[in-house]
């Protein structure tokens, strides 16, 4: 997809930040929709929005509310852009369904790096057969189809975000391998890992388990090795 066909919704109550986002994203070639609070972001959300950029501390309805509402009807990537950088805020954001987190103040280059990376990941997820080896993997009641980029449990489809799908596909492809948080982050996000990103992986794994595990506290599919990382047991049947 060409950049001029991509539409990004940006929501922030600071008019200066909105103006910067509008200028930077349009200069890159993207279409831009602007919202000044979370309520507007939800109202302006539509199926043709390819990526959402949400501030957290907005009036009327905050970014957490907007993220949850948008995620209930869209799997498009969501980037939180906010001055709130405490781990509790990051955890709440990822739990609400966000894919990535960028702290203010930010550089234009870093913003575009995050935006472009999220869109690339979504493009691979939304365009089956691109960028991945074709195959269907069955793990008990769980099936992952790289042809259609879909996951099903008991033959019922499971809706994953592009980030969640990327993590699960990587672990299933290399079943038996224990992935550290750094390996997962650098493989899926395609950018250098830092210690603060560890919680990013923890929350995304938790979200995945809630969607695919009968009992997330006693996982059948995504298992943990204390002090080492996460793995899927090597009992995959590739079709």
């Amino acid at each position: 997809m060409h950049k001029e066909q991509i539409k990004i919704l940006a929501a922030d109550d600071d008019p200066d930040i909105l103006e910067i986002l509008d200028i930077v994203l349009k200069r890159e070639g993207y279409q831009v929709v602007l919202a000044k609070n979370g309520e507007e972001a939800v109202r302006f959300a539509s199926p043709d929005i390819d990526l959402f950029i949400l501030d957290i501390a907005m009036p009327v309805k905050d970014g957490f509310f907007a993220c949850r509402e948008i995620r209930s009807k869209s799997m498009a990537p969501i980037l939180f852009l906010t001055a709130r950088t405490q781990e509790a805020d990051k955890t709440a954001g990822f739990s609400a369904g966000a894919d990535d987190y960028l702290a203010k103040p930010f550089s234009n280059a870093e913003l575009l790096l995050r935006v472009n990376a999220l869109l690339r990941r979504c493009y691979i997820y939304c365009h089956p057969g691109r960028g991945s080896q074709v195959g269907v993997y069955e793990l008990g009641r769980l099936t992952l189809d790289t042809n259609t980029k879909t996951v099903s449990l008991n033959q019922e489809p499971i809706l994953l975000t592009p980030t969640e799908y990327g993590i699960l596909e990587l672990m299933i492809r290399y079943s038996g391998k224990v992935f550290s948080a750094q390996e997962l982050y650098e493989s899926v996000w395609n950018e250098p890992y830092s210690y603060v990103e560890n919680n990013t992986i923890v929350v995304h794994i938790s979200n995945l388990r809630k969607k695919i595990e009968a009992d997330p506290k006693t996982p059948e599919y995504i298992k943990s090795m204390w002090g080492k990382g996460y793995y899927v047991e090597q009992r995959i049947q590739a079709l």
Side-chain angles (χ1 to χ4, degrees):
M1 182 184 293
H2 298 293
K3 287 185 176 179
E4 60 269 18
Q5 297 175 290
I6 294 174
K7 186 179 291 187
I8 297 174
L9 186 150
D12 199 301
D13 63 317
D14 186 333
D16 293 332
I17 295 293
L18 272 187
E19 183 179 7
I20 291 171
L21 292 172
D22 191 41
I23 292 171
V24 171
L25 294 172
K26 284 181 176 176
R27 189 167 58 202
E28 189 72 4
Y30 298 119
Q31 298 180 50
V32 182
V33 177
L34 301 178
K36 59 180 179 291
N37 56 57
E39 186 176 69
E40 280 194 357
V42 173
R43 190 164 73 247
F44 296 163
S46 61
D48 63 340
I49 299 293
D50 299 289
L51 183 141
F52 296 86
I53 300 175
L54 304 176
D55 184 33
I56 287 181
M58 293 186 289
V60 186
K61 298 293 184 181
D62 64 15
F64 294 140
F65 168 86
C67 183
R68 286 190 295 269
E69 290 295 305
I70 291 168
R71 184 55 74 220
S72 69
K73 57 187 176 182
S74 172
M75 289 295 108
I78 297 176
L79 171 66
F80 269 134
L81 179 68
T82 177
R84 297 171 64 169
T85 57
Q86 295 185 359
E87 285 302 310
D89 294 320
K90 289 187 177 184
T91 300
F94 290 131
S95 296
D99 294 276
D100 208 351
Y101 197 106
L102 181 60
K104 300 176 183 177
F106 58 90
S107 69
N108 294 347
E110 186 177 12
L111 170 69
L112 291 175
L113 179 70
R114 298 294 178 111
V115 166
N116 292 334
L118 284 171
L119 287 170
R120 278 197 306 273
R121 197 180 312 150
C122 185
Y123 183 76
I124 292 172
Y125 176 72
C126 296
H127 291 75
R130 296 178 182 268
S132 62
Q133 179 182 342
V134 175
V136 178
Y137 298 84
E138 290 190 349
L139 177 59
R141 299 173 294 113
L142 186 71
T143 302
L144 183 143
D145 188 338
T146 63
N147 301 290
T148 58
K149 299 293 181 185
T150 57
V151 175
S152 59
L153 186 65
N154 292 326
Q155 299 183 331
E156 293 292 327
I158 302 294
L159 291 179
L160 302 181
T161 68
T163 302
E164 291 166 350
Y165 178 87
I167 293 171
L168 185 61
E169 180 182 314
L170 179 67
M171 296 179 70
I172 284 181
R173 281 186 181 279
Y174 298 95
S175 58
K177 172 179 170 55
V178 179
F179 287 91
S180 66
Q182 178 174 351
E183 289 172 324
L184 285 173
Y185 188 86
E186 292 183 348
S187 296
V188 176
W189 274 257
N190 196 31
E191 61 182 59
Y193 172 89
S194 64
Y195 177 75
V196 296
E197 312 300 349
N198 182 67
N199 196 52
T200 300
I201 296 298
V202 170
V203 177
H204 277 87
I205 292 291
S206 175
N207 289 343
L208 263 175
R209 283 174 168 163
K210 289 175 183 176
K211 291 182 177 182
I212 68 173
E213 304 283 2
D215 180 4
K217 294 182 179 180
T218 310
E220 177 184 356
Y221 302 111
I222 301 177
K223 298 182 177 292
S224 302
M225 182 174 289
W226 179 254
K228 299 291 184 181
Y230 305 95
Y231 68 99
V232 169
E233 284 187 330
Q234 199 166 15
R235 52 190 178 93
I236 304 291
Q237 179 181 0
L239 304 178

